[in-house]
Amino acid sequence: MSEQGCVVVTGGSRGIGRAVALQLAADGFDIAFCYRTGGAAAEETEKEIRELGVECYHAPCDVADLESVQAFVKTVEEKLGGIAGLVNSAGIVKDNPMVLMPAADWHAVIDTNLTGTYNFCRSVVFGFMKRRSGVIVNISSVAGVFGNPTQSNYSAAKSGIHGMSRALAKEVAGYGVRVNVVAPGFIETDMTAGLGEKARKAALGMIPMKRIGEPEDVSDLVSFLVSDRAAYITGQVIQVDGGIAF
Ligand code: NAP
């Protein structure tokens, strides 16, 4: 087991969560990650994490289900020891203009992105407070900063993460626990792979740096925020978006 302890990464099988898991493994942390379906992507991520010389545990766990989350956290503590950090990256989109949005899609996006983040924070934070150390990084989105048409559910969930994280940061700062948010812009993952040519062009038009970001653009910042180099940074929402302006 790593002397630095382990970091839990939700949605670690693919995309940004996977890049975060690999970077934190390279930083020397053991990694526990969860996903909804996982499959070959999860196995491949585990293989690459282990090649970096650290321990890895992964299992399916629906972040929206508090009981599953509590059971996952308990198993991680049994298998990998104390949890040093948590990165909430699991997320989904179900886009539609509000006028067409089914209630089920509203709730699914809030339940996964916002309640899922609460469920994991709630399940680790008491342990962090008792140990007087711990780091949380929640992944939101520029949609939570600016609002994005067809994404009222997603924008609400991500704005909610900002408020929740700022409040939690104040609650736990005196216990040596830090909470920050990383808000990515457009990043090349399965989530954005479905963007048509027109939408991709429109996205590039909003990005002064004129490129879609890579998952590693996000994981580099997460790595910094988890590390002691960020020891005096808490309660912040930091955008990684090529200078995007809506
Ligand atoms: P992605 O490639 O679609 O990966 C999503 C990950 O979340 C997968 O590992 C998926 O597991 C997991 N997941 C989804 N629902 C889950 C649930 N209910 N319980 C547990 N795990 C679940 O997405 P991404 O682009 O990496 O996005 C990661 C985070 O960054 C999300 O919070 C997203 O909102 C945010 N973000 C992304 C972008 C972007 O442009 N890509 C921009 C801004 C913010 P399965 O594979 O098993 O389904």
Side-chain angles (χ1 to χ4, degrees), residues 10-17 34-39 61-64 88-93 112-113 139-142 154 158 183-192:
T10 74
S13 57
R14 294 188 287 123
I16 291 170
C34 75
Y35 38 80
R36 206 175 24 182
T37 48
C61 168
D62 181 356
V63 296
N88 280 297
S89 186
I92 56 166
V93 287
T112 299
N113 294 273
I139 307 295
S140 69
S141 166
V142 290
Y154 186 75
K158 297 305 194 184
F186 290 93
I187 306 295
E188 293 283 10
T189 68
D190 293 343
M191 193 176 268
T192 44

Side-chain angles (χ1 to χ4, degrees), residues 57-81:
Y57 168 75
H58 63 93
C61 168
D62 181 356
V63 296
D65 177 9
L66 181 58
E67 274 184 25
S68 304
V69 171
Q70 286 170 336
F72 179 84
V73 167
K74 192 162 172 275
T75 308
V76 171
E77 284 170 338
E78 284 162 9
K79 289 191 179 290
L80 297 179

